[in-house]
Amino acid sequence: MAVLKKIWPQSLFARLLWVWLMGLTLVLAAAAWLALDERTVRGQVVLHAKLTQELAASADWLDTLSPAQREQWLEDKGQGKRRERWRLVPPKAWSPNATPLPPHVRPLAIYLASELAPRQPLVQHFTPLHDRQRHGDADGHHPERSRGQTWVSLLLIDGAQVYVRLPATYPPHGAMGRPGFGSDTHWGLVALTVLVGLALLTWLAVVYATRPLKRMTQAAKDLADHPNQAPLPEEGPLEVRQAAQAFNHMQAQLQRHMAQQTQVLAAIAHDLQTPLTRLRLKTEWVSDEALRQRMQADLSEMQDLVQDGLALARSWHAQPQRQPVHLNQLLQTQLNEWEDLGWAVQAQGADSDCLVNTDVAALRRVLGNVVHNAITYGHRATVTLLCQDPSQPDHWCIVAEDEGPGLPESDLQTVLQPFVRQESSRNRQTGGTGLGLSIALNLMTALGGRLVLANRAQGGLRVTLSAPR
């Protein structure tokens, strides 16, 4: 494996180039192989046709001769420098029950049987060892041969049999094709092989090139919801490693920048607590009751805004402390607290046991913000607990609904941003700080879940909380 890693190109360009070159080489080699087989088959047909014509012409000539003339003609033909050796008696190795023909002779027998069917051609092949040890040719000697002898018998018009020994160099292995291939090989198969090979090669190259890009795209999408996610693995081709390093550097810079913002905001919020407390104490010295109440209301508003700002900053870097908790019991505890505050809240599904693994403090804050928002704008709230989310069976789900006016569809995502209020007034008694839903969204994201807003068909807003069990 170490040797392969050293040989394997390091850059994406070189790897794609290597894949294309190797793939094209294999595709072209397969195409050339099929083309060579096609050429071999065509050459085979030409050889068969030529030999068949010679045998047919000689047999037709023998049909016109008398038996004596045939013997004289065959003797002259056997002594001349002819391609074939003809005789009226079969060779000694000839057998009616001949062994199966070798693969390179079989196509010839099929072709002769098709073209010379009236003459009932029969082809037999004898091995060189068999010929040397037991049988000689018509002249009684054994010439050196690298392969066996191929004989063909033909039926003449008067019923006599004539035997022809093909040349010692026929049929050549290269011209007779290979086992498993025949004359039905078409150029269409060559084209299909090239197209399939190129398509597979293109698919592999595209997958290889886009896989790291998809991984980086998904990481970029997740960065918005999970800024503290683990860095990308710096592996793969050189370009991919460089891009992963740049992405991880950017993520680290963002995390550091957000951490600095959180520290600054937390420090300001903490430092403001002391002067706000002193101002509240000093308001007690104001003799005008109405003025004192207005000043204390403004200080309470400032203190709530500071606390919400600090909670928002902490929610950006929330690290969930998960523990087993029964959601039904947690919801029942929250209901008791809300009733003590005078909130009109109804619960459904709180009587069924639902054990999950989550952050209790974060979930309590989320439920408090969502229900407070529902009471503020809808006066009444209905909270429904589903231990199994219908859309995601491995998630729990809590749905909070109110009876308020709802929101325009264009504002369903806008109100989740910090300091965005659901009504245009600047009154803290009706508009709030505009941070409650933002904090809830950040905490749900840290839990690996989601917070979704939607309008109810009968009026009002529906807030759906869902997270892994």
Side-chain angles (χ1 to χ4, degrees):
M1 293 297 294
V3 177
L4 292 178
K5 288 183 178 180
K6 292 181 180 179
I7 299 177
W8 186 243
Q10 296 300 310
S11 68
L12 182 61
F13 173 80
R15 292 187 182 185
L16 290 177
L17 183 62
W18 186 89
V19 170
W20 272 100
L21 289 178
M22 293 300 296
L24 286 176
T25 301
L26 293 176
V27 169
L28 293 177
W33 182 54
L34 291 174
L36 179 61
D37 181 74
E38 181 72 13
R39 181 179 178 183
T40 300
V41 171
R42 299 302 178 189
Q44 178 186 42
V45 173
V46 172
L47 291 175
H48 290 171
K50 184 176 181 180
L51 178 63
T52 302
Q53 291 177 359
E54 294 179 359
L55 295 179
S58 299
D60 292 340
W61 173 251
L62 290 175
D63 285 337
T64 63
L65 302 178
S66 63
Q69 292 174 330
R70 289 175 185 171
E71 292 182 3
Q72 183 63 37
W73 184 83
L74 291 177
E75 183 178 355
D76 295 340
K77 192 174 183 63
Q79 293 177 356
K81 296 181 180 180
R82 312 287 291 185
R83 285 169 49 101
E84 301 87 11
R85 294 292 185 263
W86 293 73
R87 56 194 297 178
L88 291 175
V89 295
K92 294 182 179 180
W94 189 270
S95 173
N97 300 322
T99 58
L101 295 174
H104 69 282
V105 181
R106 204 172 298 145
L108 173 64
I110 297 174
Y111 191 88
L112 291 177
S114 175
E115 299 296 326
L116 299 178
R119 298 196 178 276
Q120 301 178 11
L122 180 62
V123 180
Q124 292 191 14
H125 185 82
F126 312 127
T127 62
L129 180 61
H130 186 271
D131 291 337
R132 288 194 188 101
Q133 293 179 351
R134 297 181 54 189
H135 308 290
D137 57 9
D139 301 328
H141 61 276
H142 303 277
E144 291 295 329
R145 294 186 287 274
S146 60
R147 300 184 299 114
Q149 296 181 354
T150 303
W151 286 80
V152 180
S153 68
L154 299 175
L155 181 65
L156 299 181
I157 194 171
D158 58 358
Q161 290 280 349
V162 61
Y163 301 89
V164 187
R165 193 194 74 185
L166 302 183
T169 58
Y170 191 89
H173 286 275
M176 303 309 291
R178 293 179 293 277
F181 291 88
S183 60
D184 58 345
T185 304
H186 302 290
W187 281 100
L189 182 59
V190 178
L192 180 62
T193 302
V194 173
L195 291 177
V196 171
L198 289 177
L200 181 60
L201 177 62
T202 304
W203 178 79
L204 289 175
V206 171
V207 168
Y208 194 81
T210 57
R211 183 184 299 170
L213 298 179
K214 289 182 178 179
R215 186 170 61 247
M216 189 170 300
T217 301
Q218 186 60 42
K221 291 180 179 179
D222 295 340
L223 182 62
D225 297 332
H226 305 282
N228 295 320
Q229 64 181 349
L232 279 176
E234 299 178 3
E235 58 186 14
L238 179 62
E239 294 86 350
V240 175
R241 294 200 302 270
Q242 292 176 346
Q245 292 173 359
F247 182 87
N248 292 336
H249 178 71
M250 178 191 68
Q251 181 179 347
Q253 292 290 343
L254 288 175
Q255 292 174 351
R256 185 160 45 251
H257 180 66
M258 293 179 65
Q260 291 174 353
Q261 285 187 333
T262 303
Q263 291 175 357
V264 171
L265 185 57
I268 293 175
H270 181 270
D271 292 343
L272 283 176
Q273 296 291 336
T274 300
L276 287 175
T277 302
R278 289 200 302 263
L279 286 174
R280 182 177 292 277
L281 292 175
K282 291 178 180 181
T283 58
E284 298 295 333
W285 299 344
V286 178
S287 58
D288 189 339
E289 180 66 22
L291 178 60
R292 184 173 64 249
Q293 291 181 357
R294 288 196 300 270
M295 292 177 63
Q296 289 178 349
D298 290 339
L299 289 173
S300 297
E301 181 178 348
M302 292 176 62
Q303 195 165 12
D304 291 343
L305 183 60
V306 169
Q307 292 176 352
D308 287 346
L310 182 58
L312 176 65
R314 290 172 177 171
S315 69
W316 287 337
H317 296 277
Q319 297 294 334
Q321 304 296 323
R322 298 179 182 273
Q323 61 181 349
V325 60
H326 292 273
L327 281 185
N328 53 311
Q329 297 178 5
L330 175 63
L331 182 57
Q332 188 62 49
T333 302
Q334 290 296 110
L335 281 174
N336 296 333
E337 294 180 2
W338 295 333
E339 289 178 358
D340 295 339
L341 294 174
W343 294 358
V345 183
Q346 294 181 349
Q348 299 178 359
D351 54 345
S352 59
D353 185 63
C354 182
L355 180 63
V356 300
N357 191 30
T358 188
D359 189 323
V360 178
L363 187 55
R364 286 170 62 93
R365 182 62 184 265
V366 171
L367 289 175
N369 289 3
V370 170
V371 173
H372 180 267
N373 185 80
I375 294 298
T376 301
Y377 297 99
H379 309 295
R380 299 180 59 87
T382 301
V383 180
T384 304
L385 170 62
L386 299 175
C387 196
Q388 188 176 51
D389 190 342
S391 60
Q392 294 177 293
D394 59 339
H395 284 51
W396 57 262
C397 179
I398 295 179
V399 180
E401 299 176 326
D402 62 50
E403 299 178 0
L407 286 172
E409 293 294 330
S410 58
D411 292 343
L412 290 178
Q413 296 299 322
T414 306
V415 295
L416 295 176
Q417 299 177 5
F419 301 104
V420 176
R421 300 177 181 179
Q422 299 181 28
E423 52 92 34
S424 58
S425 74
R426 307 301 296 176
N427 187 355
R428 271 294 316 272
Q429 301 300 323
T430 58
T433 62
L435 296 178
L437 290 180
S438 299
I439 296 173
L441 176 61
N442 292 341
L443 293 176
M444 289 302 299
T445 301
L447 292 175
R450 59 192 180 95
L451 185 152
V452 180
L453 301 181
N455 287 313
R456 301 173 60 198
Q458 62 272 33
L461 189 68
R462 176 186 294 112
V463 182
T464 302
L465 308 175
S466 179
R469 300 174 61 183

